[in-house]
Amino acid sequence: MEKKINERKSLLREAEKVAPKEDEYEDEEEVEERPRKRRRQQTSAFSGILTKIIIILVLIMIILGAGYFVFTKKLEPKKEVSILVVQNQLSYCQELVTIKYRYSDILSIKKSLGFSKSYSIIKYSGIIRIGIPDLSLCDIEVSNDGKTLNIKLPDVEILGNDITSQEVFDESHSLFVPISLDDAFGEIDRAKDKTLEELVDDGIMKEARESAKKVIQQIMMSAGFEEVIVV
């Protein structure tokens, strides 16, 4: 009996030697867990670095965009302001007279009936004004940098053809064929219209338009534009 008890004790001691201890199990679990923890820590660290990089890139893009916006706004004048400047400059000369042509002539009016005769010799002077009646009708276009101005002018027109003076040098009137004031004024009107027709045929309208271009160009250059194109 005692021998069997001793054999059991001996077997128990052998079993205790062979069986792993509880702390040995825990150590093995910790060993297996360590690589997983390191992988999680590495993944977390990489994610954190990537997030920081993305945030920094976004901030840089925002700063660059804001800087570009401010920079261009400072350098680029507003087109609306530039157009307003042009309109204000043109408003000082809404009616632009580019050519004033002064003329004078001597007109002889004769009337006769049988042996009765009448005549009047009249000297008259006039002025023809040619230009643009309303500069507010100009088409205005300003470049984005505010340096170049394009203006399209309206057509030039005859602004006036007026007699400024008239004087009778000599006259002789018959009761049978009198020369009335209507006769004199009628002849003067026909003479001044003929003078205007001759000027138009000689190209005075084209000359007036070229003169208008030069005047507008000088006005706008003095307003600060580097290049002014007038058509």
Side-chain angles (χ1 to χ4, degrees):
M1 184 66 179
E2 184 178 355
K3 184 177 180 181
K4 290 182 178 181
I5 293 172
N6 292 332
E7 289 177 355
R8 288 181 179 177
K9 290 181 178 180
S10 177
L11 290 172
L12 288 173
R13 282 194 296 270
E14 292 296 330
E16 289 177 355
K17 291 180 180 180
V18 175
K21 296 181 180 179
E22 185 177 354
D23 55 350
E24 290 179 354
Y25 282 113
E26 292 178 356
D27 293 340
E28 290 178 1
E29 291 178 357
E30 290 180 359
V31 170
E32 293 177 356
E33 184 66 21
R34 284 172 187 170
R36 289 196 292 270
K37 287 182 178 180
R38 282 196 297 269
R39 286 195 296 270
R40 286 197 295 268
Q41 289 174 353
Q42 291 174 355
T43 303
S44 177
F46 179 75
S47 298
I49 294 172
L50 183 61
T51 302
K52 290 179 180 179
I53 292 174
I54 293 173
I55 292 173
I56 292 172
L57 290 176
V58 171
L59 290 175
I60 291 174
M61 292 177 64
I62 292 173
I63 292 171
L64 290 176
Y68 176 79
F69 178 79
V70 173
F71 181 75
T72 52
K73 284 298 180 183
K74 286 183 178 180
L75 292 183
E76 180 180 322
K78 293 182 179 179
K79 294 178 68 174
E80 294 80 3
V81 175
S82 298
I83 292 175
L84 183 60
V85 170
V86 175
Q87 291 175 341
N88 287 336
Q89 290 291 328
L90 295 179
S91 66
Y92 293 118
C93 51
Q94 286 188 357
E95 182 182 88
L96 178 63
V97 179
T98 56
I99 287 183
K100 284 185 178 181
Y101 181 82
R102 301 180 186 275
Y103 61 92
S104 61
D105 201 355
I106 294 176
L107 181 64
S108 177
I109 303 174
K110 296 179 180 180
K111 294 179 74 174
S112 63
L113 179 62
F115 293 102
S116 299
K117 296 180 180 180
S118 296
Y119 67 89
S120 289
I121 300 176
I122 304 172
K123 180 181 180 180
Y124 66 93
S125 298
I127 182 171
I128 296 173
R129 296 179 297 109
I130 304 173
I132 299 174
D134 190 357
L135 286 176
S136 65
L137 300 177
C138 293
D139 291 334
I140 303 169
E141 183 178 349
V142 180
S143 63
N144 291 329
D145 58 6
K147 296 180 180 179
T148 303
L149 173 65
N150 288 275
I151 299 180
K152 183 178 180 181
L153 298 177
D155 294 334
V156 295
E157 299 179 11
I158 305 297
L159 302 179
N161 183 11
D162 305 313
I163 298 299
T164 56
S165 66
Q166 56 189 12
E167 181 182 357
V168 177
F169 276 98
D170 190 13
E171 62 181 349
S172 176
H173 293 285
S174 170
L175 294 176
F176 298 102
V177 282
I179 296 176
S180 65
L181 290 177
D182 290 338
D183 293 332
F185 290 146
E187 289 296 327
I188 292 174
D189 286 340
R190 282 188 287 273
K192 74 174 186 178
D193 290 342
K194 184 179 179 181
T195 300
L196 178 59
E197 289 176 5
E198 291 174 352
L199 289 174
V200 172
D201 292 339
D202 290 340
I204 195 171
M205 301 298 285
K206 182 179 179 180
E207 182 182 346
R209 186 169 185 83
E210 292 300 320
S211 179
K213 291 180 181 179
K214 293 178 181 179
V215 171
I216 296 299
Q217 190 174 40
Q218 291 174 356
I219 293 174
M220 293 299 104
M221 291 291 286
S222 65
F225 292 97
E226 296 182 5
E227 183 180 9
V228 179
I229 302 170
V230 185
V231 296

